[in-house]
Tab-separated table of all heavy atoms in Angstrom:
chain	number	residue	atom	x	y	z
A	1	MET	N	72.677	56.488	46.870
A	1	MET	CA	72.871	55.815	48.130
A	1	MET	C	72.177	56.443	49.277
A	1	MET	O	71.377	57.358	49.153
A	1	MET	CB	74.375	55.858	48.550
A	1	MET	CG	75.309	55.261	47.477
A	1	MET	SD	74.959	53.432	47.299
A	1	MET	CE	75.479	52.818	48.867
A	2	ILE	N	72.069	55.655	50.337
A	2	ILE	CA	71.235	56.115	51.424
A	2	ILE	C	71.963	57.070	52.364
A	2	ILE	O	73.214	57.014	52.646
A	2	ILE	CB	70.891	54.873	52.368
A	2	ILE	CG1	70.194	53.906	51.498
A	2	ILE	CG2	70.121	55.275	53.556
A	2	ILE	CD1	70.021	52.525	52.191
A	3	GLY	N	71.220	58.143	52.755
A	3	GLY	CA	71.853	59.173	53.627
A	3	GLY	C	71.857	58.738	55.129
A	3	GLY	O	71.790	57.658	55.438
A	4	LEU	N	71.871	59.879	55.930
A	4	LEU	CA	72.032	59.603	57.343
A	4	LEU	C	70.672	59.694	58.058
A	4	LEU	O	70.592	60.235	59.201
A	4	LEU	CB	73.014	60.600	57.934
A	4	LEU	CG	74.448	60.528	57.397
A	4	LEU	CD1	75.263	61.595	57.947
A	4	LEU	CD2	75.018	59.168	57.906
A	5	GLY	N	69.725	59.160	57.460
A	5	GLY	CA	68.459	59.167	58.231
A	5	GLY	C	67.609	60.360	57.953
A	5	GLY	O	67.988	61.288	57.382
A	6	GLY	N	66.321	60.273	58.487
A	6	GLY	CA	65.444	61.393	58.327
A	6	GLY	C	64.866	61.485	56.920
A	6	GLY	O	64.156	62.411	56.600
A	7	GLU	N	64.971	60.433	56.080
A	7	GLU	CA	64.470	60.371	54.834
A	7	GLU	C	63.012	59.949	54.802
A	7	GLU	O	62.544	59.193	55.663
A	7	GLU	CB	65.275	59.456	53.929
A	7	GLU	CG	66.808	59.864	53.886
A	7	GLU	CD	67.456	59.183	52.760
A	7	GLU	OE1	67.008	58.241	52.168
A	7	GLU	OE2	68.762	59.536	52.699
A	8	VAL	N	62.301	60.493	53.834
A	8	VAL	CA	60.905	60.049	53.702
A	8	VAL	C	60.686	59.504	52.271
A	8	VAL	O	61.475	59.864	51.408
A	8	VAL	CB	59.968	61.301	54.002
A	8	VAL	CG1	60.123	61.681	55.434
A	8	VAL	CG2	60.243	62.390	53.104
A	9	GLY	N	59.678	58.944	52.134
A	9	GLY	CA	59.283	58.547	50.725
A	9	GLY	C	59.911	57.221	50.384
A	9	GLY	O	59.736	56.692	49.247
A	10	ARG	N	60.670	56.539	51.178
A	10	ARG	CA	61.169	55.267	50.816
A	10	ARG	C	60.822	54.297	51.983
A	10	ARG	O	61.210	54.402	53.098
A	10	ARG	CB	62.739	55.354	50.775
A	10	ARG	CG	63.287	53.959	50.387
A	10	ARG	CD	64.843	54.145	50.068
A	10	ARG	NE	65.480	52.938	49.537
A	10	ARG	CZ	65.906	51.991	50.383
A	10	ARG	NH1	65.951	52.135	51.625
A	10	ARG	NH2	66.494	50.913	49.841
A	11	ASP	N	60.088	53.231	51.654
A	11	ASP	CA	59.602	52.374	52.579
A	11	ASP	C	60.626	51.188	52.736
A	11	ASP	O	60.912	50.455	51.775
A	11	ASP	CB	58.184	51.741	52.114
A	11	ASP	CG	57.152	52.793	52.121
A	11	ASP	OD1	57.168	53.676	53.012
A	11	ASP	OD2	56.333	52.747	51.221
A	12	THR	N	61.188	51.071	53.985
A	12	THR	CA	62.083	49.992	54.075
A	12	THR	C	61.500	49.008	55.079
A	12	THR	O	60.622	49.263	55.949
A	12	THR	CB	63.422	50.627	54.713
A	12	THR	OG1	63.039	51.347	55.789
A	12	THR	CG2	64.048	51.448	53.749
A	13	CYS	N	62.157	47.855	55.091
A	13	CYS	CA	61.751	46.763	55.867
A	13	CYS	C	61.816	47.091	57.375
A	13	CYS	O	62.710	47.817	57.801
A	13	CYS	CB	62.725	45.592	55.658
A	13	CYS	SG	62.436	44.118	56.579
A	14	SER	N	60.907	46.605	58.295
A	14	SER	CA	60.849	46.921	59.607
A	14	SER	C	61.729	45.996	60.454
A	14	SER	O	61.866	46.257	61.665
A	14	SER	CB	59.429	46.680	60.081
A	14	SER	OG	58.545	47.741	59.508
A	15	ARG	N	62.308	44.969	59.840
A	15	ARG	CA	63.142	44.080	60.583
A	15	ARG	C	64.427	44.841	60.975
A	15	ARG	O	65.009	45.638	60.190
A	15	ARG	CB	63.640	42.948	59.615
A	15	ARG	CG	64.597	41.976	60.266
A	15	ARG	CD	63.961	41.058	61.188
A	15	ARG	NE	64.871	39.884	61.554
A	15	ARG	CZ	65.610	39.959	62.640
A	15	ARG	NH1	65.519	40.943	63.493
A	15	ARG	NH2	66.385	38.909	62.854
A	16	ALA	N	64.760	44.732	62.281
A	16	ALA	CA	65.919	45.526	62.827
A	16	ALA	C	67.177	45.251	61.951
A	16	ALA	O	67.501	44.112	61.685
A	16	ALA	CB	66.157	45.120	64.193
A	17	GLY	N	67.800	46.337	61.526
A	17	GLY	CA	68.974	46.176	60.818
A	17	GLY	C	68.904	46.040	59.397
A	17	GLY	O	69.868	45.963	58.529
A	18	CYS	N	67.643	45.863	58.846
A	18	CYS	CA	67.403	45.595	57.474
A	18	CYS	C	67.084	46.898	56.783
A	18	CYS	O	66.187	47.625	57.242
A	18	CYS	CB	66.305	44.556	57.207
A	18	CYS	SG	66.068	44.240	55.473
A	19	VAL	N	67.753	47.179	55.626
A	19	VAL	CA	67.472	48.426	54.889
A	19	VAL	C	66.916	48.161	53.506
A	19	VAL	O	66.856	48.995	52.660
A	19	VAL	CB	68.671	49.301	54.805
A	19	VAL	CG1	69.127	49.787	56.233
A	19	VAL	CG2	69.826	48.597	54.144
A	20	ALA	N	66.353	46.910	53.386
A	20	ALA	CA	65.952	46.564	52.031
A	20	ALA	C	64.615	47.237	51.804
A	20	ALA	O	63.824	47.535	52.730
A	20	ALA	CB	65.762	45.050	51.937
A	21	ALA	N	64.238	47.442	50.574
A	21	ALA	CA	62.980	48.051	50.219
A	21	ALA	C	61.840	47.131	50.624
A	21	ALA	O	61.949	45.897	50.315
A	21	ALA	CB	62.890	48.435	48.756
A	22	ALA	N	60.795	47.577	51.194
A	22	ALA	CA	59.681	46.737	51.596
A	22	ALA	C	58.764	46.436	50.434
A	22	ALA	O	58.513	47.305	49.605
A	22	ALA	CB	58.856	47.479	52.799
A	23	THR	N	58.321	45.180	50.357
A	23	THR	CA	57.371	44.774	49.344
A	23	THR	C	56.099	44.146	50.083
A	23	THR	O	55.135	43.847	49.354
A	23	THR	CB	57.935	43.755	48.429
A	23	THR	OG1	58.495	42.578	49.217
A	23	THR	CG2	59.106	44.323	47.600
A	24	TRP	N	56.129	44.127	51.375
A	24	TRP	CA	54.979	43.543	52.062
A	24	TRP	C	54.585	44.505	53.200
A	24	TRP	O	55.479	45.253	53.690
A	24	TRP	CB	55.193	42.160	52.622
A	24	TRP	CG	55.498	41.100	51.565
A	24	TRP	CD1	56.694	40.852	51.076
A	24	TRP	CD2	54.547	40.379	50.921
A	24	TRP	NE1	56.630	39.803	50.147
A	24	TRP	CE2	55.282	39.616	50.048
A	24	TRP	CE3	53.151	40.169	51.021
A	24	TRP	CZ2	54.669	38.610	49.164
A	24	TRP	CZ3	52.541	39.258	50.200
A	24	TRP	CH2	53.211	38.451	49.279
A	25	ARG	N	53.324	44.478	53.572
A	25	ARG	CA	52.897	45.171	54.808
A	25	ARG	C	52.197	44.222	55.689
A	25	ARG	O	51.482	43.384	55.243
A	25	ARG	CB	51.991	46.404	54.542
A	25	ARG	CG	50.736	46.021	53.826
A	25	ARG	CD	49.835	47.160	53.530
A	25	ARG	NE	49.358	47.807	54.804
A	25	ARG	CZ	49.038	49.107	54.929
A	25	ARG	NH1	49.067	49.952	53.922
A	25	ARG	NH2	48.566	49.527	56.105
A	26	LEU	N	52.420	44.304	57.036
A	26	LEU	CA	51.761	43.533	58.033
A	26	LEU	C	51.031	44.548	58.930
A	26	LEU	O	51.522	45.353	59.598
A	26	LEU	CB	52.862	42.741	58.831
A	26	LEU	CG	53.638	41.756	58.061
A	26	LEU	CD1	54.980	42.481	57.524
A	26	LEU	CD2	54.043	40.633	58.878
A	27	ASP	N	49.639	44.388	58.796
A	27	ASP	CA	48.860	45.198	59.795
A	27	ASP	C	48.397	44.388	60.936
A	27	ASP	O	47.814	43.282	60.733
A	27	ASP	CB	47.624	45.720	59.006
A	27	ASP	CG	47.981	46.590	57.887
A	27	ASP	OD1	48.615	47.669	58.127
A	27	ASP	OD2	47.650	46.280	56.710
A	28	TRP	N	48.714	44.754	62.144
A	28	TRP	CA	48.536	43.963	63.246
A	28	TRP	C	48.145	44.761	64.474
A	28	TRP	O	48.275	46.013	64.456
A	28	TRP	CB	49.758	43.124	63.550
A	28	TRP	CG	51.010	43.947	63.999
A	28	TRP	CD1	51.827	44.576	63.082
A	28	TRP	CD2	51.441	44.395	65.250
A	28	TRP	NE1	52.815	45.268	63.833
A	28	TRP	CE2	52.537	45.159	65.130
A	28	TRP	CE3	50.922	44.069	66.549
A	28	TRP	CZ2	53.249	45.677	66.262
A	28	TRP	CZ3	51.643	44.521	67.660
A	28	TRP	CH2	52.705	45.364	67.522
A	29	SER	N	47.615	44.206	65.478
A	29	SER	CA	47.243	44.864	66.678
A	29	SER	C	47.621	43.990	67.867
A	29	SER	O	47.554	42.725	67.744
A	29	SER	CB	45.835	45.269	66.701
A	29	SER	OG	45.022	44.192	66.649
A	30	ASN	N	47.854	44.569	69.003
A	30	ASN	CA	48.029	43.862	70.221
A	30	ASN	C	46.785	44.138	71.039
A	30	ASN	O	46.599	45.230	71.482
A	30	ASN	CB	49.287	44.362	70.947
A	30	ASN	CG	49.537	43.647	72.279
A	30	ASN	OD1	48.639	43.050	72.881
A	30	ASN	ND2	50.763	43.799	72.767
A	31	PRO	N	45.914	43.145	71.240
A	31	PRO	CA	44.677	43.355	71.969
A	31	PRO	C	44.854	43.918	73.370
A	31	PRO	O	43.931	44.509	73.877
A	31	PRO	CB	44.122	41.972	71.952
A	31	PRO	CG	44.736	41.235	70.865
A	31	PRO	CD	46.080	41.743	70.767
A	32	ARG	N	46.074	43.727	73.898
A	32	ARG	CA	46.355	44.133	75.273
A	32	ARG	C	46.475	45.644	75.369
A	32	ARG	O	46.164	46.281	76.343
A	32	ARG	CB	47.552	43.564	75.822
A	32	ARG	CG	47.274	41.996	76.205
A	32	ARG	CD	48.534	41.439	76.813
A	32	ARG	NE	48.441	39.927	77.012
A	32	ARG	CZ	49.366	39.261	77.494
A	32	ARG	NH1	50.537	39.767	77.851
A	32	ARG	NH2	49.163	37.886	77.693
A	33	ILE	N	47.102	46.326	74.442
A	33	ILE	CA	47.354	47.717	74.415
A	33	ILE	C	46.567	48.470	73.322
A	33	ILE	O	46.427	49.717	73.469
A	33	ILE	CB	48.871	47.916	74.258
A	33	ILE	CG1	49.355	47.421	72.847
A	33	ILE	CG2	49.614	47.244	75.334
A	33	ILE	CD1	50.817	47.690	72.562
A	34	HIS	N	46.140	47.759	72.290
A	34	HIS	CA	45.395	48.489	71.213
A	34	HIS	C	43.884	48.302	71.525
A	34	HIS	O	43.131	47.655	70.689
A	34	HIS	CB	45.732	47.997	69.872
A	34	HIS	CG	47.215	48.306	69.533
A	34	HIS	ND1	47.965	47.426	68.810
A	34	HIS	CD2	48.016	49.351	69.907
A	34	HIS	CE1	49.195	47.868	68.693
A	34	HIS	NE2	49.175	49.101	69.416
A	35	THR	N	43.412	48.726	72.583
A	35	THR	CA	41.971	48.493	73.006
A	35	THR	C	41.076	49.366	72.281
A	35	THR	O	39.844	49.214	72.381
A	35	THR	CB	41.859	48.729	74.515
A	35	THR	OG1	42.307	50.017	74.880
A	35	THR	CG2	42.585	47.703	75.359
A	36	ASP	N	41.561	50.339	71.537
A	36	ASP	CA	40.625	51.279	70.837
A	36	ASP	C	40.531	50.873	69.386
A	36	ASP	O	39.991	51.583	68.501
A	36	ASP	CB	41.050	52.697	70.899
A	36	ASP	CG	42.567	52.873	70.429
A	36	ASP	OD1	43.143	51.812	69.939
A	36	ASP	OD2	43.037	54.026	70.428
A	37	GLY	N	41.010	49.644	69.025
A	37	GLY	CA	40.889	49.189	67.647
A	37	GLY	C	42.027	49.605	66.732
A	37	GLY	O	41.859	49.316	65.493
A	38	ARG	N	42.950	50.299	67.170
A	38	ARG	CA	44.040	50.830	66.289
A	38	ARG	C	44.826	49.540	65.895
A	38	ARG	O	44.947	48.552	66.538
A	38	ARG	CB	44.957	51.781	67.007
A	38	ARG	CG	44.369	53.199	67.094
A	38	ARG	CD	45.317	54.146	67.798
A	38	ARG	NE	45.728	53.526	69.168
A	38	ARG	CZ	46.958	53.630	69.579
A	38	ARG	NH1	47.918	54.149	68.902
A	38	ARG	NH2	47.187	53.247	70.843
A	39	THR	N	45.570	49.759	64.817
A	39	THR	CA	46.460	48.750	64.337
A	39	THR	C	47.803	49.423	64.044
A	39	THR	O	47.962	50.647	63.898
A	39	THR	CB	46.050	48.072	63.106
A	39	THR	OG1	45.882	49.029	62.009
A	39	THR	CG2	44.696	47.367	63.204
A	40	LYS	N	48.812	48.589	64.116
A	40	LYS	CA	50.133	49.032	63.617
A	40	LYS	C	50.532	48.339	62.374
A	40	LYS	O	49.924	47.365	62.020
A	40	LYS	CB	51.205	48.583	64.734
A	40	LYS	CG	51.063	49.317	66.129
A	40	LYS	CD	52.316	49.289	66.861
A	40	LYS	CE	53.464	49.859	66.111
A	40	LYS	NZ	54.561	50.218	67.037
A	41	THR	N	51.320	49.045	61.642
A	41	THR	CA	51.732	48.561	60.355
A	41	THR	C	53.299	48.407	60.305
A	41	THR	O	54.017	49.255	60.696
A	41	THR	CB	51.314	49.461	59.190
A	41	THR	OG1	49.911	49.612	59.201
A	41	THR	CG2	51.831	48.916	57.878
A	42	TRP	N	53.679	47.160	60.049
A	42	TRP	CA	55.065	46.879	59.793
A	42	TRP	C	55.271	46.740	58.305
A	42	TRP	O	54.362	46.197	57.629
A	42	TRP	CB	55.605	45.647	60.476
A	42	TRP	CG	55.837	45.853	61.964
A	42	TRP	CD1	55.784	47.015	62.642
A	42	TRP	CD2	56.186	44.832	62.833
A	42	TRP	NE1	56.035	46.793	63.941
A	42	TRP	CE2	56.363	45.431	64.169
A	42	TRP	CE3	56.409	43.429	62.811
A	42	TRP	CZ2	56.603	44.722	65.321
A	42	TRP	CZ3	56.712	42.731	63.896
A	42	TRP	CH2	56.866	43.332	65.155
A	43	LEU	N	56.435	47.051	57.789
A	43	LEU	CA	56.818	46.768	56.384
A	43	LEU	C	57.883	45.749	56.386
A	43	LEU	O	58.766	45.673	57.294
A	43	LEU	CB	57.292	48.077	55.731
A	43	LEU	CG	56.281	49.299	55.795
A	43	LEU	CD1	56.942	50.516	55.203
A	43	LEU	CD2	54.953	48.995	55.077
A	44	ALA	N	57.831	44.991	55.321
A	44	ALA	CA	58.769	43.850	55.194
A	44	ALA	C	59.267	43.696	53.825
A	44	ALA	O	58.505	43.825	52.905
A	44	ALA	CB	58.212	42.562	55.796
A	45	CYS	N	60.499	43.278	53.677
A	45	CYS	CA	61.049	42.841	52.391
A	45	CYS	C	60.712	41.334	52.137
A	45	CYS	O	60.165	40.657	53.105
A	45	CYS	CB	62.576	43.080	52.356
A	45	CYS	SG	63.487	41.999	53.467
A	46	ASP	N	61.004	40.902	51.046
A	46	ASP	CA	60.639	39.518	50.749
A	46	ASP	C	61.383	38.590	51.674
A	46	ASP	O	60.792	37.471	52.019
A	46	ASP	CB	61.083	39.146	49.306
A	46	ASP	CG	60.111	39.742	48.221
A	46	ASP	OD1	58.975	40.031	48.600
A	46	ASP	OD2	60.588	39.858	47.055
A	47	GLU	N	62.567	38.925	52.086
A	47	GLU	CA	63.362	38.025	52.901
A	47	GLU	C	62.789	37.831	54.359
A	47	GLU	O	62.859	36.912	54.940
A	47	GLU	CB	64.767	38.510	52.981
A	47	GLU	CG	65.631	37.564	53.753
A	47	GLU	CD	67.166	38.035	53.747
A	47	GLU	OE1	67.488	39.008	52.908
A	47	GLU	OE2	67.897	37.555	54.481
A	48	HIS	N	62.133	38.978	54.844
A	48	HIS	CA	61.741	39.080	56.280
A	48	HIS	C	60.326	38.956	56.481
A	48	HIS	O	59.801	38.979	57.686
A	48	HIS	CB	62.394	40.296	56.932
A	48	HIS	CG	63.931	40.220	56.955
A	48	HIS	ND1	64.647	41.275	56.554
A	48	HIS	CD2	64.651	39.275	57.433
A	48	HIS	CE1	65.979	40.873	56.780
A	48	HIS	NE2	65.979	39.781	57.321
A	49	VAL	N	59.537	38.945	55.450
A	49	VAL	CA	58.030	38.897	55.660
A	49	VAL	C	57.660	37.586	56.507
A	49	VAL	O	56.851	37.852	57.399
A	49	VAL	CB	57.261	38.970	54.340
A	49	VAL	CG1	57.533	37.810	53.490
A	49	VAL	CG2	55.793	39.019	54.645
A	50	ASP	N	58.331	36.575	56.244
A	50	ASP	CA	57.986	35.237	56.989
A	50	ASP	C	58.433	35.446	58.475
A	50	ASP	O	57.688	35.012	59.398
A	50	ASP	CB	58.611	34.145	56.398
A	50	ASP	CG	57.996	33.691	55.023
A	50	ASP	OD1	56.773	34.129	54.913
A	50	ASP	OD2	58.636	33.037	54.308
A	51	TYR	N	59.593	36.027	58.700
A	51	TYR	CA	60.089	36.162	60.068
A	51	TYR	C	59.077	37.075	60.822
A	51	TYR	O	58.784	36.764	62.036
A	51	TYR	CB	61.445	36.917	60.033
A	51	TYR	CG	61.917	37.234	61.280
A	51	TYR	CD1	62.688	36.330	62.161
A	51	TYR	CD2	61.691	38.485	61.980
A	51	TYR	CE1	63.093	36.655	63.408
A	51	TYR	CE2	62.034	38.878	63.195
A	51	TYR	CZ	62.832	37.917	63.956
A	51	TYR	OH	63.278	38.322	65.123
A	52	LEU	N	58.720	38.132	60.235
A	52	LEU	CA	57.864	39.082	61.014
A	52	LEU	C	56.353	38.469	61.262
A	52	LEU	O	55.758	38.713	62.305
A	52	LEU	CB	57.742	40.439	60.240
A	52	LEU	CG	59.072	41.266	60.207
A	52	LEU	CD1	59.014	42.431	59.296
A	52	LEU	CD2	59.522	41.722	61.641
A	53	ARG	N	55.985	37.793	60.174
A	53	ARG	CA	54.642	37.213	60.310
A	53	ARG	C	54.685	36.118	61.484
A	53	ARG	O	53.779	36.041	62.282
A	53	ARG	CB	54.246	36.634	58.976
A	53	ARG	CG	52.808	35.929	59.142
A	53	ARG	CD	52.415	35.466	57.752
A	53	ARG	NE	53.401	34.503	57.242
A	53	ARG	CZ	53.670	34.182	55.847
A	53	ARG	NH1	52.808	34.790	55.086
A	53	ARG	NH2	54.588	33.369	55.565
A	54	ASP	N	55.773	35.349	61.439
A	54	ASP	CA	55.790	34.329	62.530
A	54	ASP	C	55.962	34.989	63.951
A	54	ASP	O	55.502	34.455	64.871
A	54	ASP	CB	56.983	33.417	62.261
A	54	ASP	CG	56.834	32.517	60.998
A	54	ASP	OD1	55.626	32.472	60.634
A	54	ASP	OD2	57.761	31.900	60.593
A	55	PHE	N	56.761	36.050	63.989
A	55	PHE	CA	56.919	36.818	65.197
A	55	PHE	C	55.526	37.179	65.835
A	55	PHE	O	55.251	37.059	67.053
A	55	PHE	CB	57.758	38.065	64.957
A	55	PHE	CG	58.026	38.824	66.130
A	55	PHE	CD1	59.220	38.622	66.938
A	55	PHE	CD2	57.240	39.841	66.595
A	55	PHE	CE1	59.471	39.408	68.055
A	55	PHE	CE2	57.502	40.701	67.743
A	55	PHE	CZ	58.596	40.341	68.480
A	56	LEU	N	54.715	37.799	64.943
A	56	LEU	CA	53.359	38.144	65.482
A	56	LEU	C	52.475	37.000	65.685
A	56	LEU	O	51.731	37.010	66.637
A	56	LEU	CB	52.730	39.185	64.396
A	56	LEU	CG	53.574	40.457	64.298
A	56	LEU	CD1	53.032	41.245	63.043
A	56	LEU	CD2	53.422	41.331	65.584
A	57	ALA	N	52.454	36.104	64.832
A	57	ALA	CA	51.571	34.808	64.927
A	57	ALA	C	51.911	34.158	66.195
A	57	ALA	O	50.990	33.588	66.858
A	57	ALA	CB	51.739	33.990	63.688
A	58	ALA	N	53.075	34.118	66.612
A	58	ALA	CA	53.453	33.458	67.810
A	58	ALA	C	52.828	34.038	69.079
A	58	ALA	O	52.855	33.358	70.089
A	58	ALA	CB	55.032	33.341	67.949
A	59	ARG	N	52.566	35.257	68.943
A	59	ARG	CA	51.882	36.080	70.057
A	59	ARG	C	50.406	36.120	69.935
A	59	ARG	O	49.765	36.754	70.678
A	59	ARG	CB	52.509	37.425	70.179
A	59	ARG	CG	53.947	37.377	70.655
A	59	ARG	CD	54.775	38.588	70.217
A	59	ARG	NE	56.103	38.449	70.805
A	59	ARG	CZ	57.023	37.732	70.332
A	59	ARG	NH1	56.820	36.946	69.251
A	59	ARG	NH2	58.245	37.637	70.836
A	60	ASP	N	49.867	35.424	68.901
A	60	ASP	CA	48.404	35.397	68.668
A	60	ASP	C	47.894	36.763	68.534
A	60	ASP	O	46.759	37.056	68.877
A	60	ASP	CB	47.756	34.689	69.874
A	60	ASP	CG	47.940	33.314	69.903
A	60	ASP	OD1	48.138	32.676	68.893
A	60	ASP	OD2	48.006	32.672	71.064
A	61	PHE	N	48.662	37.664	67.840
A	61	PHE	CA	48.134	39.023	67.517
A	61	PHE	C	47.334	38.896	66.138
A	61	PHE	O	47.777	38.182	65.221
A	61	PHE	CB	49.299	39.946	67.304
A	61	PHE	CG	49.997	40.368	68.553
A	61	PHE	CD1	51.191	41.049	68.439
A	61	PHE	CD2	49.528	39.989	69.836
A	61	PHE	CE1	51.853	41.382	69.606
A	61	PHE	CE2	50.253	40.345	70.909
A	61	PHE	CZ	51.414	40.933	70.818
A	62	PRO	N	46.137	39.605	66.118
A	62	PRO	CA	45.475	39.596	64.870
A	62	PRO	C	46.354	40.217	63.809
A	62	PRO	O	47.079	41.248	64.099
A	62	PRO	CB	44.326	40.573	65.164
A	62	PRO	CG	44.086	40.472	66.689
A	62	PRO	CD	45.471	40.279	67.197
A	63	LEU	N	46.348	39.629	62.591
A	63	LEU	CA	47.426	39.964	61.700
A	63	LEU	C	46.908	39.838	60.296
A	63	LEU	O	46.128	38.946	59.919
A	63	LEU	CB	48.596	38.961	61.873
A	63	LEU	CG	49.689	38.979	60.883
A	63	LEU	CD1	50.476	40.249	60.830
A	63	LEU	CD2	50.643	37.774	61.164
A	64	ALA	N	47.162	40.759	59.346
A	64	ALA	CA	46.959	40.692	58.024
A	64	ALA	C	48.177	41.103	57.199
A	64	ALA	O	48.750	42.042	57.480
A	64	ALA	CB	45.758	41.616	57.674
A	65	VAL	N	48.497	40.226	56.218
A	65	VAL	CA	49.653	40.479	55.365
A	65	VAL	C	49.164	40.731	54.000
A	65	VAL	O	48.361	39.992	53.418
A	65	VAL	CB	50.588	39.293	55.462
A	65	VAL	CG1	51.814	39.556	54.521
A	65	VAL	CG2	51.012	38.948	56.874
A	66	ALA	N	49.774	41.803	53.393
A	66	ALA	CA	49.309	42.214	52.014
A	66	ALA	C	50.506	42.703	51.237
A	66	ALA	O	51.390	43.321	51.901
A	66	ALA	CB	48.097	43.183	52.003
A	67	PRO	N	50.507	42.519	49.951
A	67	PRO	CA	51.546	43.196	49.087
A	67	PRO	C	51.480	44.675	49.259
A	67	PRO	O	50.356	45.269	49.223
A	67	PRO	CB	51.178	42.717	47.664
A	67	PRO	CG	50.373	41.541	47.823
A	67	PRO	CD	49.576	41.744	49.130
A	68	LEU	N	52.647	45.333	49.388
A	68	LEU	CA	52.656	46.742	49.698
A	68	LEU	C	52.159	47.503	48.452
A	68	LEU	O	51.619	48.621	48.495
A	68	LEU	CB	54.076	47.150	49.996
A	68	LEU	CG	54.243	48.532	50.424
A	68	LEU	CD1	53.439	48.914	51.708
A	68	LEU	CD2	55.825	48.848	50.697
A	69	THR	N	52.284	46.923	47.346
A	69	THR	CA	51.997	47.646	46.040
A	69	THR	C	50.423	47.869	45.991
A	69	THR	O	50.036	48.796	45.206
A	69	THR	CB	52.434	46.862	44.898
A	69	THR	OG1	51.986	45.535	44.946
A	69	THR	CG2	54.019	46.900	44.780
A	70	GLU	N	49.692	47.083	46.668
A	70	GLU	CA	48.207	47.187	46.528
A	70	GLU	C	47.702	48.326	47.491
A	70	GLU	O	46.484	48.539	47.410
A	70	GLU	CB	47.522	45.941	46.919
A	70	GLU	CG	47.722	44.790	45.882
A	70	GLU	CD	46.863	43.683	46.109
A	70	GLU	OE1	46.171	43.658	47.152
A	70	GLU	OE2	46.881	42.607	45.413
A	71	THR	N	48.462	48.918	48.189
A	71	THR	CA	48.027	49.841	49.149
A	71	THR	C	48.330	51.326	48.693
A	71	THR	O	48.038	52.306	49.484
A	71	THR	CB	48.637	49.626	50.545
A	71	THR	OG1	50.058	49.890	50.425
A	71	THR	CG2	48.384	48.222	51.046
A	72	ALA	N	48.841	51.423	47.619
A	72	ALA	CA	49.241	52.887	47.185
A	72	ALA	C	47.988	53.747	46.951
A	72	ALA	O	46.923	53.256	46.685
A	72	ALA	CB	50.009	52.804	45.802
B	1	LIG	ZN1	64.168	42.830	55.471
């Protein structure tokens, strides 16, 4: 079972309140604040990948979605 936080080595969904294991990664940037070319990475489970992608797409943020397993 899951402990009281501070755990490493388990990738969980970035959706608030979701503790499902992530199977997707979303690499995105906000051109307004990431002026040095950095990107942020969110992780998503199958259920929330569409939600998070739509959230970012609605803001016109550059976005790439990929299966998490390919990034190991
Ligand atoms: Zn989720």
